[in-house]
Structures are given as structure tokens and as C-alpha cells.
Tab-separated table of all heavy atoms in Angstrom:
chain	number	residue	atom	x	y	z
A	1	MET	N	0.846	-1.199	0.000
A	1	MET	CA	0.000	0.000	0.000
A	1	MET	C	0.880	1.247	0.000
A	1	MET	O	1.874	1.312	0.685
A	1	MET	CB	-0.894	-0.005	1.248
A	1	MET	CG	-1.956	1.066	1.249
A	1	MET	SD	-3.329	0.653	0.176
A	1	MET	CE	-4.356	-0.305	1.301
A	2	ALA	N	0.485	2.201	-0.807
A	2	ALA	CA	1.186	3.484	-0.815
A	2	ALA	C	0.141	4.597	-0.834
A	2	ALA	O	-0.969	4.393	-1.310
A	2	ALA	CB	2.084	3.600	-2.038
A	3	TYR	N	0.514	5.722	-0.298
A	3	TYR	CA	-0.347	6.891	-0.324
A	3	TYR	C	0.249	7.897	-1.285
A	3	TYR	O	1.449	8.142	-1.253
A	3	TYR	CB	-0.464	7.493	1.077
A	3	TYR	CG	-1.244	6.610	2.014
A	3	TYR	CD1	-0.611	5.609	2.738
A	3	TYR	CD2	-2.622	6.768	2.148
A	3	TYR	CE1	-1.334	4.780	3.585
A	3	TYR	CE2	-3.342	5.948	2.989
A	3	TYR	CZ	-2.702	4.960	3.706
A	3	TYR	OH	-3.418	4.145	4.533
A	4	THR	N	-0.589	8.431	-2.168
A	4	THR	CA	-0.098	9.388	-3.155
A	4	THR	C	-0.881	10.691	-3.065
A	4	THR	O	-2.045	10.718	-2.643
A	4	THR	CB	-0.225	8.837	-4.591
A	4	THR	OG1	-1.604	8.711	-4.920
A	4	THR	CG2	0.458	7.488	-4.739
A	5	PHE	N	-0.198	11.752	-3.472
A	5	PHE	CA	-0.831	13.075	-3.513
A	5	PHE	C	-0.300	13.838	-4.719
A	5	PHE	O	0.890	13.777	-5.015
A	5	PHE	CB	-0.525	13.865	-2.236
A	5	PHE	CG	-0.970	15.299	-2.324
A	5	PHE	CD1	-2.297	15.636	-2.115
A	5	PHE	CD2	-0.063	16.301	-2.653
A	5	PHE	CE1	-2.711	16.961	-2.232
A	5	PHE	CE2	-0.478	17.624	-2.769
A	5	PHE	CZ	-1.805	17.948	-2.562
A	6	ALA	N	-1.170	14.550	-5.399
A	6	ALA	CA	-0.775	15.411	-6.513
A	6	ALA	C	-1.414	16.780	-6.314
A	6	ALA	O	-2.612	16.878	-6.016
A	6	ALA	CB	-1.226	14.815	-7.839
A	7	CYS	N	-0.619	17.830	-6.486
A	7	CYS	CA	-1.134	19.195	-6.318
A	7	CYS	C	-2.330	19.473	-7.216
A	7	CYS	O	-3.263	20.166	-6.819
A	7	CYS	CB	-0.033	20.212	-6.613
A	7	CYS	SG	0.917	20.681	-5.162
A	8	LYS	N	-2.304	18.946	-8.427
A	8	LYS	CA	-3.402	19.245	-9.355
A	8	LYS	C	-4.734	18.717	-8.836
A	8	LYS	O	-5.783	19.239	-9.199
A	8	LYS	CB	-3.097	18.724	-10.755
A	8	LYS	CG	-3.032	17.234	-10.890
A	8	LYS	CD	-2.884	16.870	-12.374
A	8	LYS	CE	-2.597	15.407	-12.603
A	8	LYS	NZ	-3.500	14.457	-11.944
A	9	ASP	N	-4.682	17.712	-7.948
A	9	ASP	CA	-5.922	17.162	-7.391
A	9	ASP	C	-6.631	18.126	-6.443
A	9	ASP	O	-7.802	17.932	-6.127
A	9	ASP	CB	-5.644	15.848	-6.659
A	9	ASP	CG	-5.279	14.724	-7.629
A	9	ASP	OD1	-5.504	14.886	-8.845
A	9	ASP	OD2	-4.769	13.689	-7.171
A	10	ILE	N	-5.914	19.144	-5.972
A	10	ILE	CA	-6.598	20.163	-5.162
A	10	ILE	C	-6.710	21.477	-5.941
A	10	ILE	O	-6.886	22.538	-5.364
A	10	ILE	CB	-5.929	20.389	-3.787
A	10	ILE	CG1	-4.473	20.848	-3.909
A	10	ILE	CG2	-6.009	19.125	-2.937
A	10	ILE	CD1	-3.913	21.421	-2.599
A	11	GLY	N	-6.567	21.370	-7.256
A	11	GLY	CA	-6.837	22.527	-8.100
A	11	GLY	C	-5.667	23.465	-8.302
A	11	GLY	O	-5.842	24.554	-8.833
A	12	LEU	N	-4.472	23.053	-7.878
A	12	LEU	CA	-3.300	23.902	-8.087
A	12	LEU	C	-2.685	23.602	-9.452
A	12	LEU	O	-2.619	22.451	-9.875
A	12	LEU	CB	-2.255	23.650	-6.989
A	12	LEU	CG	-2.634	24.148	-5.598
A	12	LEU	CD1	-1.658	23.606	-4.564
A	12	LEU	CD2	-2.640	25.668	-5.550
A	13	ASP	N	-2.231	24.652	-10.113
A	13	ASP	CA	-1.587	24.508	-11.415
A	13	ASP	C	-0.113	24.178	-11.167
A	13	ASP	O	0.758	25.025	-11.239
A	13	ASP	CB	-1.731	25.798	-12.215
A	13	ASP	CG	-1.147	25.654	-13.613
A	13	ASP	OD1	-0.932	24.503	-14.051
A	13	ASP	OD2	-0.907	26.691	-14.253
A	14	CYS	N	0.125	22.914	-10.840
A	14	CYS	CA	1.433	22.504	-10.351
A	14	CYS	C	1.599	21.021	-10.655
A	14	CYS	O	0.661	20.242	-10.504
A	14	CYS	CB	1.496	22.764	-8.844
A	14	CYS	SG	2.955	22.121	-8.028
A	15	GLY	N	2.777	20.628	-11.103
A	15	GLY	CA	3.007	19.239	-11.493
A	15	GLY	C	3.520	18.360	-10.371
A	15	GLY	O	3.909	17.212	-10.605
A	16	PHE	N	3.506	18.883	-9.141
A	16	PHE	CA	4.074	18.126	-8.016
A	16	PHE	C	3.242	16.895	-7.675
A	16	PHE	O	2.025	16.960	-7.555
A	16	PHE	CB	4.160	19.036	-6.790
A	16	PHE	CG	4.644	18.350	-5.538
A	16	PHE	CD1	5.986	18.052	-5.357
A	16	PHE	CD2	3.749	18.021	-4.526
A	16	PHE	CE1	6.434	17.435	-4.197
A	16	PHE	CE2	4.191	17.396	-3.358
A	16	PHE	CZ	5.537	17.105	-3.193
A	17	LYS	N	3.954	15.776	-7.520
A	17	LYS	CA	3.338	14.529	-7.058
A	17	LYS	C	4.271	13.924	-6.027
A	17	LYS	O	5.485	14.013	-6.165
A	17	LYS	CB	3.212	13.518	-8.199
A	17	LYS	CG	2.140	13.814	-9.199
A	17	LYS	CD	2.144	12.728	-10.266
A	17	LYS	CE	1.247	13.092	-11.431
A	17	LYS	NZ	1.408	12.134	-12.545
A	18	THR	N	3.699	13.279	-5.028
A	18	THR	CA	4.554	12.599	-4.071
A	18	THR	C	3.849	11.352	-3.560
A	18	THR	O	2.648	11.188	-3.726
A	18	THR	CB	4.935	13.541	-2.908
A	18	THR	OG1	5.939	12.919	-2.125
A	18	THR	CG2	3.753	13.880	-2.025
A	19	LYS	N	4.630	10.460	-2.967
A	19	LYS	CA	4.034	9.260	-2.388
A	19	LYS	C	4.861	8.798	-1.197
A	19	LYS	O	6.032	9.139	-1.062
A	19	LYS	CB	3.932	8.143	-3.422
A	19	LYS	CG	5.253	7.653	-3.948
A	19	LYS	CD	5.027	6.523	-4.939
A	19	LYS	CE	6.368	6.063	-5.513
A	19	LYS	NZ	6.211	4.916	-6.414
A	20	ALA	N	4.184	8.047	-0.325
A	20	ALA	CA	4.855	7.515	0.854
A	20	ALA	C	4.099	6.267	1.298
A	20	ALA	O	2.991	5.992	0.842
A	20	ALA	CB	4.888	8.548	1.970
A	21	LYS	N	4.716	5.544	2.217
A	21	LYS	CA	4.096	4.296	2.685
A	21	LYS	C	2.934	4.540	3.630
A	21	LYS	O	2.034	3.715	3.745
A	21	LYS	CB	5.148	3.436	3.400
A	21	LYS	CG	6.123	2.768	2.454
A	21	LYS	CD	7.177	1.993	3.254
A	21	LYS	CE	8.325	1.559	2.347
A	21	LYS	NZ	9.443	0.988	3.126
A	22	THR	N	2.993	5.679	4.347
A	22	THR	CA	1.924	6.008	5.294
A	22	THR	C	1.532	7.478	5.135
A	22	THR	O	2.315	8.283	4.631
A	22	THR	CB	2.361	5.794	6.755
A	22	THR	OG1	3.395	6.727	7.061
A	22	THR	CG2	2.872	4.373	6.989
A	23	LYS	N	0.332	7.805	5.608
A	23	LYS	CA	-0.096	9.210	5.590
A	23	LYS	C	0.816	10.059	6.466
A	23	LYS	O	1.080	11.215	6.164
A	23	LYS	CB	-1.533	9.325	6.129
A	23	LYS	CG	-2.586	9.135	5.062
A	23	LYS	CD	-3.952	9.530	5.611
A	23	LYS	CE	-5.032	9.218	4.609
A	23	LYS	NZ	-6.375	9.585	5.092
A	24	GLU	N	1.273	9.459	7.558
A	24	GLU	CA	2.144	10.180	8.485
A	24	GLU	C	3.455	10.585	7.811
A	24	GLU	O	4.040	11.611	8.146
A	24	GLU	CB	2.429	9.324	9.718
A	24	GLU	CG	1.245	9.164	10.664
A	24	GLU	CD	0.107	8.313	10.091
A	24	GLU	OE1	0.372	7.417	9.262
A	24	GLU	OE2	-1.050	8.564	10.457
A	25	GLU	N	3.920	9.768	6.875
A	25	GLU	CA	5.142	10.113	6.136
A	25	GLU	C	4.842	11.060	4.985
A	25	GLU	O	5.701	11.845	4.584
A	25	GLU	CB	5.799	8.841	5.562
A	25	GLU	CG	6.444	7.965	6.612
A	25	GLU	CD	7.005	6.669	6.016
A	25	GLU	OE1	7.578	6.710	4.910
A	25	GLU	OE2	6.856	5.617	6.659
A	26	LEU	N	3.639	10.960	4.454
A	26	LEU	CA	3.282	11.759	3.287
A	26	LEU	C	3.059	13.225	3.636
A	26	LEU	O	3.511	14.123	2.916
A	26	LEU	CB	2.024	11.167	2.637
A	26	LEU	CG	1.586	11.760	1.291
A	26	LEU	CD1	2.653	11.555	0.229
A	26	LEU	CD2	0.281	11.126	0.841
A	27	LEU	N	2.377	13.478	4.743
A	27	LEU	CA	1.996	14.857	5.079
A	27	LEU	C	3.189	15.808	5.213
A	27	LEU	O	3.123	16.927	4.707
A	27	LEU	CB	1.123	14.881	6.337
A	27	LEU	CG	-0.304	14.361	6.092
A	27	LEU	CD1	-1.047	14.183	7.410
A	27	LEU	CD2	-1.089	15.297	5.178
A	28	PRO	N	4.304	15.400	5.855
A	28	PRO	CA	5.452	16.318	5.910
A	28	PRO	C	6.033	16.628	4.532
A	28	PRO	O	6.543	17.732	4.305
A	28	PRO	CB	6.482	15.567	6.775
A	28	PRO	CG	5.708	14.537	7.512
A	28	PRO	CD	4.532	14.196	6.643
A	29	LEU	N	5.968	15.671	3.604
A	29	LEU	CA	6.461	15.906	2.247
A	29	LEU	C	5.600	16.950	1.545
A	29	LEU	O	6.102	17.831	0.844
A	29	LEU	CB	6.443	14.595	1.443
A	29	LEU	CG	7.303	13.439	1.969
A	29	LEU	CD1	7.058	12.183	1.138
A	29	LEU	CD2	8.778	13.806	1.946
A	30	ILE	N	4.286	16.847	1.759
A	30	ILE	CA	3.359	17.824	1.176
A	30	ILE	C	3.588	19.195	1.816
A	30	ILE	O	3.630	20.213	1.126
A	30	ILE	CB	1.899	17.361	1.369
A	30	ILE	CG1	1.658	16.036	0.644
A	30	ILE	CG2	0.930	18.433	0.866
A	30	ILE	CD1	0.347	15.348	1.032
A	31	ALA	N	3.759	19.214	3.136
A	31	ALA	CA	3.957	20.473	3.853
A	31	ALA	C	5.227	21.178	3.378
A	31	ALA	O	5.244	22.404	3.197
A	31	ALA	CB	4.031	20.213	5.357
A	32	LYS	N	6.285	20.408	3.170
A	32	LYS	CA	7.562	20.968	2.710
A	32	LYS	C	7.392	21.587	1.326
A	32	LYS	O	7.854	22.704	1.081
A	32	LYS	CB	8.611	19.849	2.675
A	32	LYS	CG	10.006	20.304	2.321
A	32	LYS	CD	10.992	19.133	2.526
A	32	LYS	CE	12.424	19.534	2.216
A	32	LYS	NZ	12.673	19.679	0.775
A	33	HIS	N	6.716	20.871	0.446
A	33	HIS	CA	6.488	21.373	-0.899
A	33	HIS	C	5.603	22.617	-0.871
A	33	HIS	O	5.878	23.605	-1.550
A	33	HIS	CB	5.830	20.278	-1.762
A	33	HIS	CG	5.283	20.809	-3.047
A	33	HIS	ND1	6.088	21.066	-4.133
A	33	HIS	CD2	4.031	21.167	-3.417
A	33	HIS	CE1	5.334	21.564	-5.118
A	33	HIS	NE2	4.085	21.621	-4.718
A	34	ALA	N	4.542	22.572	-0.076
A	34	ALA	CA	3.612	23.702	0.000
A	34	ALA	C	4.323	24.961	0.488
A	34	ALA	O	4.048	26.068	0.014
A	34	ALA	CB	2.449	23.362	0.931
A	35	LYS	N	5.256	24.767	1.414
A	35	LYS	CA	6.014	25.899	1.945
A	35	LYS	C	6.962	26.465	0.889
A	35	LYS	O	7.016	27.668	0.665
A	35	LYS	CB	6.807	25.417	3.167
A	35	LYS	CG	7.593	26.503	3.865
A	35	LYS	CD	8.324	25.918	5.075
A	35	LYS	CE	9.248	26.940	5.692
A	35	LYS	NZ	9.987	26.394	6.853
A	36	GLU	N	7.685	25.559	0.217
A	36	GLU	CA	8.714	25.996	-0.722
A	36	GLU	C	8.141	26.541	-2.020
A	36	GLU	O	8.685	27.489	-2.591
A	36	GLU	CB	9.671	24.826	-1.018
A	36	GLU	CG	10.523	24.475	0.192
A	36	GLU	CD	11.372	23.234	-0.017
A	36	GLU	OE1	11.217	22.559	-1.057
A	36	GLU	OE2	12.196	22.938	0.867
A	37	LYS	N	7.073	25.919	-2.509
A	37	LYS	CA	6.559	26.297	-3.835
A	37	LYS	C	5.319	27.167	-3.791
A	37	LYS	O	5.030	27.883	-4.728
A	37	LYS	CB	6.252	25.033	-4.663
A	37	LYS	CG	7.458	24.160	-4.924
A	37	LYS	CD	8.465	24.828	-5.861
A	37	LYS	CE	9.685	23.945	-6.064
A	37	LYS	NZ	10.763	24.647	-6.783
A	38	HIS	N	4.550	27.054	-2.717
A	38	HIS	CA	3.282	27.768	-2.679
A	38	HIS	C	3.225	28.790	-1.555
A	38	HIS	O	2.191	29.426	-1.363
A	38	HIS	CB	2.118	26.777	-2.565
A	38	HIS	CG	2.063	25.807	-3.711
A	38	HIS	ND1	1.791	26.180	-4.997
A	38	HIS	CD2	2.300	24.472	-3.758
A	38	HIS	CE1	1.840	25.111	-5.792
A	38	HIS	NE2	2.149	24.066	-5.063
A	39	GLY	N	4.310	28.937	-0.795
A	39	GLY	CA	4.360	29.929	0.268
A	39	GLY	C	3.368	29.675	1.391
A	39	GLY	O	2.977	30.591	2.100
A	40	MET	N	2.952	28.407	1.560
A	40	MET	CA	2.017	28.063	2.637
A	40	MET	C	2.816	27.562	3.837
A	40	MET	O	3.352	26.462	3.810
A	40	MET	CB	1.055	26.963	2.180
A	40	MET	CG	0.122	27.376	1.060
A	40	MET	SD	-0.871	25.958	0.536
A	40	MET	CE	-1.660	26.622	-0.927
A	41	ASP	N	2.888	28.387	4.877
A	41	ASP	CA	3.677	28.010	6.055
A	41	ASP	C	2.989	28.483	7.302
A	41	ASP	O	3.196	29.614	7.737
A	41	ASP	CB	5.081	28.591	5.951
A	41	ASP	CG	5.962	28.126	7.102
A	41	ASP	OD1	5.671	27.058	7.670
A	41	ASP	OD2	6.937	28.828	7.422
A	42	PRO	N	2.144	27.678	7.920
A	42	PRO	CA	1.819	26.314	7.501
A	42	PRO	C	0.704	26.294	6.457
A	42	PRO	O	0.215	27.347	6.074
A	42	PRO	CB	1.338	25.667	8.813
A	42	PRO	CG	0.673	26.810	9.541
A	42	PRO	CD	1.447	28.061	9.156
A	43	ILE	N	0.297	25.097	6.052
A	43	ILE	CA	-0.823	24.945	5.136
A	43	ILE	C	-2.105	25.381	5.850
A	43	ILE	O	-2.386	24.903	6.943
A	43	ILE	CB	-0.947	23.474	4.676
A	43	ILE	CG1	0.312	23.060	3.906
A	43	ILE	CG2	-2.199	23.268	3.817
A	43	ILE	CD1	0.354	21.585	3.527
A	44	PRO	N	-2.883	26.313	5.258
A	44	PRO	CA	-4.140	26.748	5.911
A	44	PRO	C	-5.102	25.570	6.096
A	44	PRO	O	-5.089	24.637	5.292
A	44	PRO	CB	-4.718	27.762	4.913
A	44	PRO	CG	-3.597	28.139	4.002
A	44	PRO	CD	-2.662	26.968	3.970
A	45	PRO	N	-5.922	25.634	7.167
A	45	PRO	CA	-6.819	24.503	7.471
A	45	PRO	C	-7.728	24.107	6.314
A	45	PRO	O	-7.976	22.911	6.101
A	45	PRO	CB	-7.648	25.004	8.661
A	45	PRO	CG	-6.814	26.062	9.293
A	45	PRO	CD	-6.003	26.679	8.191
A	46	ASP	N	-8.230	25.099	5.551
A	46	ASP	CA	-9.141	24.756	4.447
A	46	ASP	C	-8.400	24.017	3.340
A	46	ASP	O	-8.943	23.094	2.720
A	46	ASP	CB	-9.850	25.999	3.905
A	46	ASP	CG	-8.889	27.068	3.406
A	46	ASP	OD1	-7.836	27.271	4.047
A	46	ASP	OD2	-9.171	27.696	2.379
A	47	VAL	N	-7.147	24.406	3.113
A	47	VAL	CA	-6.348	23.709	2.102
A	47	VAL	C	-5.976	22.311	2.612
A	47	VAL	O	-6.011	21.332	1.869
A	47	VAL	CB	-5.073	24.515	1.751
A	47	VAL	CG1	-4.204	23.749	0.751
A	47	VAL	CG2	-5.447	25.881	1.185
A	48	MET	N	-5.663	22.229	3.908
A	48	MET	CA	-5.299	20.929	4.477
A	48	MET	C	-6.454	19.934	4.362
A	48	MET	O	-6.236	18.751	4.108
A	48	MET	CB	-4.875	21.110	5.941
A	48	MET	CG	-4.373	19.837	6.597
A	48	MET	SD	-3.065	18.969	5.674
A	48	MET	CE	-1.598	19.777	6.308
A	49	GLN	N	-7.689	20.439	4.507
A	49	GLN	CA	-8.859	19.561	4.321
A	49	GLN	C	-8.901	19.003	2.914
A	49	GLN	O	-9.183	17.823	2.713
A	49	GLN	CB	-10.149	20.344	4.586
A	49	GLN	CG	-10.516	20.387	6.054
A	49	GLN	CD	-11.920	20.968	6.272
A	49	GLN	OE1	-12.578	21.397	5.320
A	49	GLN	NE2	-12.354	20.990	7.518
A	50	LYS	N	-8.593	19.864	1.932
A	50	LYS	CA	-8.575	19.407	0.536
A	50	LYS	C	-7.452	18.403	0.328
A	50	LYS	O	-7.613	17.417	-0.395
A	50	LYS	CB	-8.376	20.591	-0.405
A	50	LYS	CG	-9.555	21.512	-0.525
A	50	LYS	CD	-9.262	22.529	-1.634
A	50	LYS	CE	-10.169	23.737	-1.556
A	50	LYS	NZ	-9.739	24.783	-2.506
A	51	VAL	N	-6.307	18.695	0.942
A	51	VAL	CA	-5.159	17.786	0.828
A	51	VAL	C	-5.541	16.404	1.360
A	51	VAL	O	-5.329	15.384	0.700
A	51	VAL	CB	-3.940	18.345	1.601
A	51	VAL	CG1	-2.847	17.293	1.737
A	51	VAL	CG2	-3.387	19.585	0.902
A	52	GLN	N	-6.140	16.391	2.562
A	52	GLN	CA	-6.533	15.120	3.184
A	52	GLN	C	-7.490	14.347	2.280
A	52	GLN	O	-7.389	13.130	2.148
A	52	GLN	CB	-7.209	15.382	4.536
A	52	GLN	CG	-6.285	15.980	5.588
A	52	GLN	CD	-5.490	14.948	6.371
A	52	GLN	OE1	-5.540	13.762	6.069
A	52	GLN	NE2	-4.745	15.394	7.359
A	53	ALA	N	-8.428	15.088	1.648
A	53	ALA	CA	-9.416	14.453	0.778
A	53	ALA	C	-8.793	13.960	-0.523
A	53	ALA	O	-9.307	13.028	-1.144
A	53	ALA	CB	-10.549	15.437	0.484
A	54	ALA	N	-7.682	14.606	-0.931
A	54	ALA	CA	-7.070	14.274	-2.225
A	54	ALA	C	-6.041	13.156	-2.117
A	54	ALA	O	-5.592	12.640	-3.139
A	54	ALA	CB	-6.428	15.521	-2.828
A	55	ILE	N	-5.662	12.802	-0.893
A	55	ILE	CA	-4.697	11.710	-0.724
A	55	ILE	C	-5.344	10.401	-1.146
A	55	ILE	O	-6.458	10.083	-0.730
A	55	ILE	CB	-4.202	11.639	0.731
A	55	ILE	CG1	-3.331	12.855	1.049
A	55	ILE	CG2	-3.410	10.344	0.961
A	55	ILE	CD1	-2.930	12.958	2.520
A	56	LYS	N	-4.643	9.677	-2.023
A	56	LYS	CA	-5.186	8.423	-2.532
A	56	LYS	C	-4.393	7.237	-1.992
A	56	LYS	O	-3.154	7.294	-1.911
A	56	LYS	CB	-5.105	8.406	-4.052
A	56	LYS	CG	-5.983	9.447	-4.728
A	56	LYS	CD	-5.998	9.210	-6.230
A	56	LYS	CE	-6.930	10.168	-6.938
A	56	LYS	NZ	-6.289	11.473	-7.175
A	57	GLU	N	-5.129	6.193	-1.654
A	57	GLU	CA	-4.474	4.942	-1.270
A	57	GLU	C	-4.284	4.111	-2.527
A	57	GLU	O	-5.196	3.927	-3.308
A	57	GLU	CB	-5.346	4.152	-0.300
A	57	GLU	CG	-5.407	4.742	1.079
A	57	GLU	CD	-6.343	3.958	1.980
A	57	GLU	OE1	-6.449	2.726	1.804
A	57	GLU	OE2	-6.978	4.581	2.848
A	58	LYS	N	-3.098	3.635	-2.692
A	58	LYS	CA	-2.789	2.836	-3.869
A	58	LYS	C	-2.299	1.468	-3.435
A	58	LYS	O	-1.363	1.365	-2.655
A	58	LYS	CB	-1.684	3.533	-4.680
A	58	LYS	CG	-2.112	3.887	-6.076
A	58	LYS	CD	-0.953	4.512	-6.814
A	58	LYS	CE	-1.274	4.657	-8.287
A	58	LYS	NZ	-0.206	5.353	-9.002
A	59	LYS	N	-2.938	0.451	-3.966
A	59	LYS	CA	-2.486	-0.900	-3.647
A	59	LYS	C	-1.330	-1.273	-4.556
A	59	LYS	O	-1.206	-0.761	-5.656
A	59	LYS	CB	-3.636	-1.896	-3.817
A	59	LYS	CG	-4.627	-1.801	-2.679
A	59	LYS	CD	-5.777	-2.768	-2.876
A	59	LYS	CE	-6.796	-2.579	-1.736
A	59	LYS	NZ	-8.064	-3.205	-2.023
A	60	GLY	N	-0.509	-2.166	-4.080
A	60	GLY	CA	0.583	-2.639	-4.913
A	60	GLY	C	1.938	-2.350	-4.320
A	60	GLY	O	2.051	-1.931	-3.175
A	61	ILE	N	2.940	-2.547	-5.124
A	61	ILE	CA	4.319	-2.383	-4.664
A	61	ILE	C	4.634	-0.915	-4.527
A	61	ILE	O	4.352	-0.135	-5.413
A	61	ILE	CB	5.301	-3.061	-5.655
A	61	ILE	CG1	4.979	-4.543	-5.761
A	61	ILE	CG2	6.747	-2.842	-5.215
A	61	ILE	CD1	5.590	-5.207	-6.972
A	62	PHE	N	5.231	-0.562	-3.418
A	62	PHE	CA	5.616	0.821	-3.182
A	62	PHE	C	6.781	1.181	-4.098
A	62	PHE	O	7.767	0.478	-4.135
A	62	PHE	CB	6.021	1.028	-1.727
A	62	PHE	CG	6.488	2.427	-1.435
A	62	PHE	CD1	5.625	3.509	-1.601
A	62	PHE	CD2	7.766	2.648	-1.008
A	62	PHE	CE1	6.046	4.774	-1.318
A	62	PHE	CE2	8.189	3.929	-0.713
A	62	PHE	CZ	7.324	5.005	-0.878
B	1	LIG	ZN1	2.474	22.206	-5.809
């Protein structure tokens, strides 16, 4: 199982995609990107809700 996130899934015009084995590992990667590329420090609660909803669980080999 892997968790994936793509910025375009929350409506951002951005090609960023990331994945991790757990949500706990994924969220810091998203936060780092949001800070560096989108100036979100921290990610606003409304955006974080979209992020949480956009995280996909993917079965298969990580
Ligand atoms: Zn992005």
C-alpha cells in the first residue's frame, strides 16, 4: 500500500506529485512542498482539508 498526492488534485496549477508508505510520512512531504513552492507556512486549514481528501491509497508495490 502506498499513499499518493498530486497538487493538481486540489486545483493547483502545479506538477508536483509525491508518495509515501503512510499518511504520516506523506503529510510532511506535502507540507515541505507547499512551503517551498506555494508559500504556505503552515498549510491553511481549508487547504489541508482538501489535501486530506485528495490523498489516494494505492495498492501494490511501493
Ligand atoms: Zn504544488
Side-chain angles (χ1 to χ4, degrees):
M1 189 77 87
Y3 291 88
T4 67
F5 171 80
C7 269
K8 67 173 171 51
D9 290 346
I10 60 165
L12 290 169
D13 184 17
C14 172
F16 176 76
K17 286 180 190 172
T18 190
K19 63 179 178 176
K21 285 177 192 172
T22 66
K23 273 191 186 180
E24 288 69 29
E25 288 176 40
L26 187 62
L27 287 170
L29 299 174
I30 298 167
K32 185 172 181 286
H33 167 79
K35 183 179 173 181
E36 291 174 353
K37 299 292 178 189
H38 300 294
M40 295 176 189
D41 185 25
I43 297 174
D46 58 321
V47 177
M48 184 52 88
Q49 275 190 356
K50 289 187 197 172
V51 168
Q52 294 274 6
I55 291 173
K56 294 189 176 82
E57 287 177 32
K58 240 182 170 176
K59 285 179 183 165
I61 300 163
F62 177 62

